[in-house]
Amino acid sequence: MSATVGSIRVGGLWATARFLGSLLLSFVLILVIWWLFLLAFPDIGPIIGRTPVDVFDYLFVAPGAPQSRAEILDNLWITLQDAAIGFSTGMLAAVATASVFVVSRSTAQTFMPIAMLLRSVPLVAMTPLITVIVGRGVAVVAVMGGIVVFFPALVMIMTGLANAPRQITDVISVYGGSRWTALRRAAIPSAVPALFSAAKVSVPGALIGATVAEWLGTNKGLGASLQQALPAAAYDELWASVLVITVASIVLYAIVGVFETVVLAQMGMQQT
């Protein structure tokens, strides 16, 4: 028994190390692509374009680096809070809707096309209407972040719930269990990998939704910072904000991925 537990732990640690290594490699590739982009488009020039080294100097070396770093981190904290609101709203709505759709096929056939149709409308085009309806406070952050998170999470969670082991659902049905009982006892436990996959996809999406909401709705956070930096020609701040958002997305994705590895290892499930 102890040998089995030890092998599970070693396997989990190895899977975590591979996952984090792949993320680190992805970040390095992003920096390389960034550099190559500036080299491929020299018209951007040193006035507008900033390399990763320039951003590092702006945040850590330049005379005003402490103040610049403090402002960006303050805005990042606001954006992370907004992203958390959007992520929670979208994931909870996706889980609830997916559960209803899996239990009631007729409901899914009726409302799923409407949901996909709404998803085809660009978020930027919907922002003015959303702002008029819910205002410019926390509500617009929850709605816009929730929209970005909701649709991809809905599809992935529905797939996970629908792939519950047929044998278990049949046994529950034979013993008089309802569809909701089968959902709770069989579908949700088997859909844990899909839930984590949806969460990993949704974390960067929540940051995007928060940034757009701040850009067009709340005038706070990194989204507002990006909006104000562009017309003010504050290109150091602009590129630094983009890099900080990218790093935050990778770090949050990594946190969810590590948590996924630990939970699935404890449940004896293999990552796909």
Side-chain angles (χ1 to χ4, degrees), residues 220-233:
K220 298 178 180 179
L222 284 176
S225 176
L226 291 171
Q227 180 195 37
Q228 295 160 8
L230 193 57

Side-chain angles (χ1 to χ4, degrees), residues 154-240:
L154 173 64
V155 174
M156 299 178 75
I157 294 171
M158 274 189 65
T159 302
L161 293 175
N163 289 335
R166 186 73 180 179
Q167 298 89 340
I168 299 178
T169 56
D170 288 343
V171 169
I172 294 173
S173 178
V174 167
Y175 280 91
S178 65
R179 290 183 177 181
W180 288 105
T181 303
L183 177 76
R184 188 177 69 256
R185 299 283 186 177
I188 291 179
S190 67
V192 170
L195 287 170
F196 275 112
S197 297
K200 287 194 294 185
V201 171
S202 299
V203 162
L207 275 173
I208 293 172
T211 304
V212 174
E214 292 166 351
W215 185 305
L216 301 172
T218 66
N219 293 322
K220 298 178 180 179
L222 284 176
S225 176
L226 291 171
Q227 180 195 37
Q228 295 160 8
L230 193 57
Y235 298 117
D236 289 318
E237 181 183 356
L238 179 67
W239 288 87

Side-chain angles (χ1 to χ4, degrees), residues 97 101 107-121 126 147 150-152 154-155 158:
T97 305
F101 283 1
T107 303
Q109 292 172 356
T110 301
F111 290 100
M112 193 65 172
I114 298 176
M116 293 299 103
L117 180 63
L118 290 174
R119 182 64 184 91
S120 65
V121 180
M126 297 172 60
I147 289 173
F150 175 77
F151 293 100
L154 173 64
V155 174
M158 274 189 65

